[in-house]
Amino acid sequence: MTYKITQTAVAAGLALLGSASAVAAQDCPERGALDVLYCDANGDLVADTPTDPALLNDPNTLVFAYTPVEDPAVYADIWAPFIAHLEAETGKDVQFFAVQSNSAEVEAMRSGRLHIAGFSTGPTPFAVNLAGAVPFAIMGAEDGQFGYKLQVFTQADSDIQTVADLAGKRVAHTSPTSNSGNQAPRALFPGLGVVPDQDYEVIYSGSHDQSMLGVVAGDYDAAPVASEVVDRMAERGLYDPAEVRMIWESDPFPTTSFTLAHDLDPALAETIKQAFFSFEFEGTALGDEFDGVSKFIPITYQDQWAVIREIQASNGVEYTPQGLAAE
């Protein structure tokens, strides 16, 4: 089963985020950047599991969401084999949440309506700090390698040859919280000769898919996008690679983090993790969609997201409801 959340509900949820201080906060010695609803006594940068058994959650139906994409319905089908595996391993019904935006996804986990979620690279810290998300896995290859690159594309016949040539152009960024679609370009491009919003016009497209399709259509002169997204788009025939040209790419970044709500019953949380790590990609729609991926690999937010936190810090990002609402 698939369901959606309305923009009205998202707005209401974000309003509640802003009034979190009105809610009785946990009395704890340390929480770092976490919202007042969460505690981080062990210093691992993610929300601790509640110590009061009455606060633990063991739902009859688990709700799972994957990061926002142009056509969520397509991904409901792609994730169907994994959801069936998750149901078999946990003995619970699992619903796919067709998420429409990063804000909706974060708000849903914070409100307790979302239990398992894949958050895009840039929004992951918002999910950790505002919604108590606990990253534990990432898609990777058999040899344990994972990640994606920020790539900059323009039209094949464009006069743009380097990042510095973006000066004076109309460039599509995806959304304010996106790592490769906005935060990384703002941190890295000044060293390559241009400052976004100062040397070129930034136009937010809403997604990597829309950025790429906009470049193909000539709506934008260029766009920084995530390599994993444009690769999948090309494989599905959504654009002709001959119509575009890549002018620059970064070193690898971590890709989508798979997370659990911090308040899940520890036994259930462990069962869910094992379901991820025991899933066989080969021969499934999920394996076909994510080329080069063969398994889920264990990760931690503290280690694998250190470079992302550094990029966001250089951009003055604060993990607040206001920062999330800007998405």
Side-chain angles (χ1 to χ4, degrees), residues 122-134:
T124 288
F126 285 89
V128 167
N129 290 290
L130 293 178
V134 180

Side-chain angles (χ1 to χ4, degrees), residues 120-143:
S120 297
T121 306
T124 288
F126 285 89
V128 167
N129 290 290
L130 293 178
V134 180
F136 68 94
I138 196 169
M139 288 182 179
E142 192 61 37
D143 62 2

